[in-house]
Amino acid sequence: MDGKDSEKWNRQDLPLYDDVEHRKEAAFRARVKRVRQAVILTGAFTFLSIWGSFGGDILAAFSDASSAKSDGPGLWASGGEFRTARLSVAEAEKLFLSVPSPESALKTSRDLSNVPHLGGSPADFEQAKSILKIFQDELGIHQGSKLPLFDAGSVESQTSTLGIVNATAPRAWIDTYYPILNTPLERELQIIGEDGNVAWNADVEEVGDIADPAGRFAKTIGAWHGLSKAGDVTGKLVYVNYGRKEDFDALALRGVNLTGTIAIARYGGLFRGLKVKGAQEAGAIGCVIYSDPRDDGSVTVANGYAPYPAGPARNPSSVQRGSVQFLSKYPGDPSTPGYPSYPNATREDSLNIPSIPSLPISWNNAQKLLAEIPNFDFTLDGTPSTRTIRLKNDVDVKVTPIWNTMAVVPGHVKEEVVVIGCHRDAWVLGAADPVSGTTAIVEIVKGLGTLLKKGWKPLRTLVIASWDAEEPGLIGSTEFGEDFHDFIRDHVVAYLNVDVATKGSRFSLGGSPSLGHLLRQAAIDLPHPTDANRTLWDARQDSGTYTGPKAPHLSGRSLEEIGADHYAEQLLMEEFAKPDNLNIRPLGSGSDYTVFLQRIGIASSDEGFGGTFTDPVYHYHSVYDSQRFQELYSDPGFVKHVAVAKHLGLVALRLLQPPLLPLNTTQYALELGNYLETVKLSATKFSIDANFSSLEKAVYSVQDASQELDHFKVKAVERLEKAIKDLEKHGKKERHCAHSRWTKPARWIRKIFGAHTHHEHRHHEVVSAPRFGLAASDSTPSSLTGEDEFGKHKLPKRVRRVMKAAQAVVAINKKLSSFERGFIDPEGIKDREWYRNLVVAPGKWTGYGATTFPALSEAIEIEKNATLVEYEIKRLNTLLVKLADNLQP
């Protein structure tokens, strides 16, 4: 636009004047020029104010999290005059941490665990609406006359999620998906006498004890396996230990043929659906799974403890319900693999559910069945029962609506999103699983609501999710992930999960190594829930107090020495998920982080208090997962619920607030080296001759590139800090122009970090901000060339310098948030292509536990195929070389 055009443009925005009013016109044009300058400085000082609130965190992000501390208001907040945020980072954290309370948590837990709420049931829908109401009340969301309930795939549902990047105020809604689910009908378990008549007929339901008020619901939801196969079968019974792959392999080596038999396995060691899968593939026609007191550590009747509800030991009539979906094949709706279960979705044959019937049974019933095996002493020898067993499982299979309750708290940077979630559905009452997690989420929401009332607004956008139908197969979260795959890939920078907040004494953290320092530091910064002289991080070493007479014989013994006799599920889970050097275990599957981490490549975490050898026995998926158990044994005083709420909320705040994402790619890059060493040892063990040199080189290149990026981050912050100081110094004379505007919506900072904004145009004055768009992209924004919509008018040099430095921070954030996307291969993992993360995935034969370099590890350990190993090395090498290139500053 040349000078004449510029003059014409100005005249078009002027009112009509008579020729005699030239002086008024000139005065107005001068005013336009002053407003232009004020708008420029408004943007500059808006950025100064936000930097003032977060500057300390930027600097801390580059140091080891163990020593990183926020220094409060930061460099430019101290004067107060140019500080838009009403709360500094330190003030926001302090206020947030003051909100969660045991009294509030206790009330929430009692409210949510008072009735059974199976996923897809009417009670579950009522809870979805209750959670929606909590979101609305606490976050200040307007409640219209119509319930914001939308069918997945509808315009309203799509707009609600895709419109998160345009949200200007908190809002909440419910999405409805339509997966295939089943519920129990008639079930029978019988011993058939030699005369063909029923010699024993089991009571397949739990027996309720009124000493726990939950006992009255023992038969409300039948004891069955979710997504189990209907069938009526008769055969000899064979004990298969945990039903692990190695157990079936050991039987095969002994020449045991399981064809036509009914397998009996005990819980623990791996996901229950894979027990049924192993039995099915070995030729069994049915499977029953029981809870064995040998896995309860020292808290047993044999050690002198009374069974629950009279004492802390296992109730022998309790039954662990649960899904038998083949979790390591793919999670979610079995009939819509890889795509969302809309109301009109095309259904496919389900490939991740059993083809043989199964039932969960109590220890009482298991003892009766095992007594049918001659001379049974728990030896894995394949001896069949003398008499035959009849197993009947009838289920009602149908498309069932489920409800994800969602909320969004928009930030200044709408293009970057942190998601925090917990599932809501339970097999019965679920006071621990998942009500303890949901209770923690509610406390977090209350804390955030308090911040919002004080005028706080996060830098990034936060999404809060109450997932449905996690128990049958991670369905609510998986369908959401499949529905909004591209949105999540492009915008979500981290997913924070909680499932069971507390069921025992020991604090446990799992997550991506890139989140390790952040998770650890937050735990170090919080007090231990019951010991003022220790931190929450120290609670990772806690144990229960129920030692019993045999407990001394447990201490100091290895997994091999203890074997399967003492709390084997915990021991084996720890063996499958060995912690890294931050004592934060890698994630496999079994909860709602799966679609985010394993399919899309989002940094994820999970946490909660779990059980140990000396904790009261947690009745997993039983009617006795009850409020009474939580208050009496799991968390007296409800201080652990609050500890998890504070920790998870603090981690969320530290992801939401600093301009530079606190993701440690170098920590993850170093872990890649450890993963490679594990694979090399495995290749030696299985006599696979493979050349790992190219993969070693690729790992080193990722490490080098990440460390180079670390150095670049420091320099980028130094440049930005210097540029802002320089701008502040030279902008003092103009501050009076900006002062009246800097408290308005921070358009400039939003544009800096890639968010959208709208320009207003009014007669008589120009109030539209110049195009300060600095989202990371291949093209250079016009603002960096010094031009904007005012034509040849150039932004001041110092403003351009700040903007250019800010763009560097945006570009770094993009590299950090997309780091784990570099592990994703659309081809997926052999035989389970839904899983696309080639660096970490649930083990093919564990389900819960993590396997690192999964496709390569399984080519070595399961396939034992040298050609496939070389192929997987090349595939992984290609990903890592590309990742290293993308990390380059």
Side-chain angles (χ1 to χ4, degrees):
M1 187 182 295
D2 60 22
K4 293 181 179 179
D5 288 337
S6 178
E7 183 178 351
K8 180 180 179 182
W9 179 85
N10 284 327
R11 287 182 178 275
Q12 287 176 339
D13 275 9
L14 295 174
L16 296 177
Y17 292 99
D18 295 332
D19 291 339
V20 296
E21 299 188 73
H22 288 306
R23 289 185 180 180
K24 290 184 179 180
E25 179 179 340
F28 186 82
R29 291 172 62 187
R31 182 186 176 200
V32 168
K33 182 178 180 181
R34 288 196 302 272
V35 171
R36 267 188 211 144
Q37 294 171 342
V39 168
I40 292 168
L41 289 170
T42 297
F45 289 113
T46 298
F47 183 75
L48 285 179
S49 63
I50 292 181
W51 174 272
S53 293
F54 301 110
D57 287 69
I58 290 182
L59 298 175
F62 298 122
S63 60
D64 179 24
S66 63
S67 61
K69 298 285 185 181
S70 170
D71 61 357
L75 297 174
W76 291 280
S78 57
E81 184 180 3
F82 295 99
R83 180 177 162 195
T84 57
R86 297 186 183 180
L87 297 171
S88 71
V89 170
E91 290 168 342
E93 289 186 359
K94 183 178 180 180
L95 179 58
F96 170 82
L97 293 175
S98 71
V99 175
S101 72
E103 296 78 15
S104 174
L106 178 60
K107 181 181 185 305
T108 298
S109 181
R110 287 175 173 174
D111 289 344
L112 296 179
S113 64
N114 62 348
V115 294
H117 47 285
L118 186 69
S121 68
D124 175 43
F125 181 49
E126 290 304 312
Q127 282 211 0
K129 293 188 290 185
S130 296
I131 297 297
L132 176 71
K133 183 70 162 52
I134 291 172
F135 288 169
Q136 291 171 333
D137 290 346
E138 298 298 333
L139 301 177
I141 299 171
H142 173 70
Q143 301 175 35
S145 59
K146 186 177 180 181
L147 183 70
L149 174 67
F150 312 128
D151 275 349
S154 66
V155 172
E156 295 88 349
S157 173
Q158 292 289 303
T159 301
S160 294
T161 293
L162 298 180
I164 285 172
V165 294
N166 298 315
T168 58
R171 54 189 176 84
W173 69 96
I174 299 174
D175 281 326
T176 309
Y177 289 92
Y178 293 84
I180 292 287
L181 297 178
N182 69 11
T183 49
L185 297 174
E186 184 180 9
R187 287 144 290 123
E188 291 184 312
L189 184 63
Q190 300 170 337
I191 297 173
I192 307 300
E194 295 178 358
D195 59 0
N197 293 322
V198 176
W200 175 74
N201 195 10
D203 182 354
V204 297
E205 306 292 9
E206 290 188 283
V207 178
D209 189 322
I210 60 173
D212 184 336
R216 69 185 188 275
F217 296 113
K219 293 177 171 54
T220 302
I221 297 176
W224 104 110
H225 280 146
L227 298 178
S228 57
K229 177 72 173 179
D232 190 340
V233 297
T234 303
K236 299 292 186 178
L237 188 77
V238 177
Y239 175 70
V240 296
N241 194 26
Y242 286 108
R244 300 167 297 184
K245 185 178 185 301
E246 53 264 44
D247 292 326
F248 288 110
D249 288 346
L251 288 171
L253 284 174
R254 295 177 65 95
V256 176
N257 185 356
L258 293 178
T259 302
T261 65
I262 294 175
I264 181 169
R266 56 172 164 155
Y267 275 114
L270 72 165
F271 185 69
R272 71 188 69 78
L274 299 181
K275 300 174 187 285
V276 180
K277 184 175 188 288
Q280 172 182 306
E281 293 183 357
I285 56 175
C287 183
V288 293
I289 311 177
Y290 73 96
S291 300
D292 195 321
R294 291 180 299 156
D295 298 330
D296 292 340
S298 62
V299 189
T300 63
V301 172
N303 269 355
Y305 293 108
Y308 187 81
R314 179 176 301 280
N315 184 306
S317 75
S318 66
V319 178
Q320 181 190 137
R321 298 160 183 79
S323 173
V324 288
Q325 180 189 66
F326 300 162
L327 182 61
S328 59
K329 179 74 174 177
Y330 63 88
D333 177 12
S335 67
T336 61
Y339 58 96
S341 51
Y342 291 165
N344 58 348
T346 300
R347 309 285 171 173
E348 300 181 14
D349 292 336
S350 301
L351 302 178
N352 69 337
I353 57 177
S355 60
I356 62 173
S358 66
L359 279 178
I361 63 173
S362 68
W363 171 235
N364 279 345
N365 286 341
Q367 291 180 85
K368 185 70 175 179
L369 292 178
L370 293 171
E372 292 296 307
I373 300 174
N375 303 313
F376 180 72
D377 61 357
F378 296 102
T379 300
L380 186 64
D381 58 13
T383 302
S385 61
T386 302
R387 294 185 287 186
T388 58
I389 307 299
R390 177 176 176 246
L391 184 164
K392 180 181 180 181
N393 182 50
D394 195 6
V395 291
D396 182 19
V397 182
K398 60 185 177 183
V399 173
T400 305
I402 63 169
W403 305 277
N404 289 339
T405 303
M406 314 292 293
V408 58
V409 178
H412 294 287
V413 183
K414 296 187 173 107
E415 299 285 344
E416 293 179 3
V417 178
V418 175
V419 182
I420 184 170
C422 177
H423 77 93
R424 185 185 63 255
D425 62 303
W427 287 110
V428 193
L429 299 170
D433 183 10
V435 170
S436 66
T438 299
T439 297
I441 293 291
V442 170
E443 291 303 296
I444 291 170
V445 170
K446 289 180 178 179
L448 294 173
T450 300
L451 293 181
L452 291 172
K453 291 179 179 69
K454 292 291 186 179
W456 173 84
K457 184 172 185 177
L459 187 62
R460 292 179 182 86
T461 290
L462 176 67
V463 170
I464 307 163
S466 174
W467 308 116
D468 201 2
E470 185 267 0
E471 296 293 6
L474 321 182
I475 295 176
S477 58
T478 298
E479 299 311 303
F480 176 84
E482 292 173 342
D483 198 358
F484 298 104
H485 176 282
D486 291 354
F487 175 87
I488 295 170
R489 178 198 62 204
D490 294 341
H491 299 295
V492 175
V493 300
Y495 174 72
L496 308 177
N497 189 69
V498 62
D499 189 328
V500 180
T502 178
K503 63 179 180 180
S505 61
R506 180 169 294 175
F507 186 57
S508 175
L509 288 168
S512 300
S514 57
L515 288 169
H517 288 83
L518 179 64
L519 294 169
R520 180 181 67 180
Q521 187 59 45
I524 291 172
D525 290 342
L526 291 172
H528 189 283
T530 60
D531 185 348
N533 296 318
R534 301 165 66 213
T535 69
L536 180 59
W537 181 249
D538 297 326
R540 298 171 303 109
Q541 306 301 324
D542 288 359
S543 296
T545 59
Y546 294 84
T547 55
K550 296 182 182 179
H553 302 293
L554 296 175
S555 60
R557 297 177 67 191
S558 68
L559 175 67
E560 291 75 17
E561 291 173 322
I562 296 175
D565 292 333
H566 300 286
Y567 217 70
E569 181 169 2
Q570 174 191 316
L571 285 170
L572 291 169
M573 289 305 99
E574 292 178 356
E575 179 69 10
F576 287 135
K578 292 180 178 178
D580 60 21
N581 57 17
L582 285 172
N583 286 313
I584 293 170
R585 59 183 170 81
L587 296 175
S589 187
S591 197
D592 291 303
Y593 52 77
T594 300
V595 69
F596 292 90
L597 177 64
Q598 315 292 3
R599 186 168 175 85
I600 308 176
I602 306 298
S604 301
S605 72
D606 191 35
E607 65 181 75
F609 283 85
T612 66
F613 302 136
T614 54
D615 274 304
V617 175
Y618 168 59
H619 291 71
Y620 187 41
H621 292 176
S622 159
V623 71
Y624 295 118
D625 180 359
S626 65
Q627 186 66 27
R628 179 181 183 272
F629 182 86
Q630 288 292 88
E631 295 184 30
L632 181 62
Y633 289 119
S634 177
D635 187 19
F638 264 55
V639 292
K640 295 172 192 169
H641 287 74
V642 171
V644 170
K646 289 183 176 182
H647 181 265
L648 191 61
L650 187 59
V651 171
L653 286 177
R654 291 178 178 181
L655 279 165
L656 287 168
Q657 300 198 98
L660 192 68
L661 279 168
L663 297 176
N664 192 330
T665 59
T666 298
Q667 177 64 39
Y668 208 141
L670 294 174
E671 289 301 324
L672 295 179
N674 295 334
Y675 301 164
L676 178 56
E677 290 304 312
T678 300
V679 167
K680 290 165 67 177
L681 290 174
S682 181
T684 300
K685 176 181 177 181
F686 288 92
S687 302
I688 299 292
D689 185 16
N691 184 354
F692 292 99
S693 59
S694 63
L695 189 53
E696 285 179 331
K697 184 177 179 181
V699 169
Y700 293 148
S701 68
V702 173
Q703 293 172 350
D704 291 343
S706 183
Q707 289 172 354
E708 186 177 349
L709 182 62
D710 287 343
H711 294 306
F712 185 76
K713 287 191 292 189
V714 175
K715 293 178 181 178
V717 168
E718 289 174 349
R719 284 194 297 268
L720 186 56
E721 182 179 11
K722 183 178 183 302
I724 293 176
K725 281 184 176 179
D726 191 43
L727 181 62
E728 184 186 39
K729 176 181 177 182
H730 289 83
K732 289 181 179 178
K733 295 180 180 179
E734 303 285 351
R735 282 188 182 178
H736 66 280
C737 299
H739 181 63
S740 63
R741 300 178 181 271
W742 69 275
T743 56
K744 293 186 176 181
R747 293 177 180 149
W748 191 76
I749 186 63
R750 293 172 188 165
K751 293 291 283 184
I752 276 185
F753 285 95
H756 302 292
T757 189
H758 299 283
H759 301 296
E760 299 174 1
H761 300 278
R762 299 178 185 173
H763 291 298
H764 307 308
E765 67 176 4
V766 181
V767 296
S768 299
R771 289 189 177 275
F772 291 141
L774 289 174
S777 63
D778 295 332
S779 60
T780 302
S782 61
S783 55
L784 291 186
T785 66
E787 295 192 13
D788 52 46
E789 66 251 43
F790 295 121
K792 288 187 175 180
H793 173 76
K794 289 189 176 182
L795 299 174
K797 178 175 65 176
R798 293 181 181 86
V799 173
R800 297 202 307 272
R801 193 175 296 154
V802 171
M803 294 163 64
K804 192 169 185 177
Q807 188 191 31
V809 173
V810 173
I812 291 170
N813 279 345
K814 196 68 175 176
K815 291 178 184 294
L816 295 173
S817 63
S818 63
F819 179 78
E820 290 180 51
R821 252 84 92 205
F823 304 153
I824 301 299
D825 187 335
E827 184 182 331
I829 300 172
K830 183 179 180 295
D831 297 332
R832 49 200 190 107
E833 289 74 16
W834 187 92
Y835 290 95
R836 295 176 173 177
N837 193 320
L838 298 191
V839 170
V840 64
K844 187 174 184 177
W845 282 103
T846 62
Y848 289 124
T851 296
T852 52
F853 287 176
L856 178 55
S857 295
E858 289 163 13
I860 295 170
E861 299 172 6
I862 297 177
E863 302 294 336
K864 301 178 177 64
N865 184 324
T867 302
L868 182 58
V869 169
E870 290 297 331
Y871 170 75
E872 294 297 350
I873 288 174
K874 290 179 182 178
R875 193 156 66 118
L876 194 51
N877 176 74
T878 299
L879 280 183
L880 295 182
V881 168
K882 183 178 179 182
L883 176 59
D885 289 341
N886 291 340
L887 280 177
Q888 292 294 330

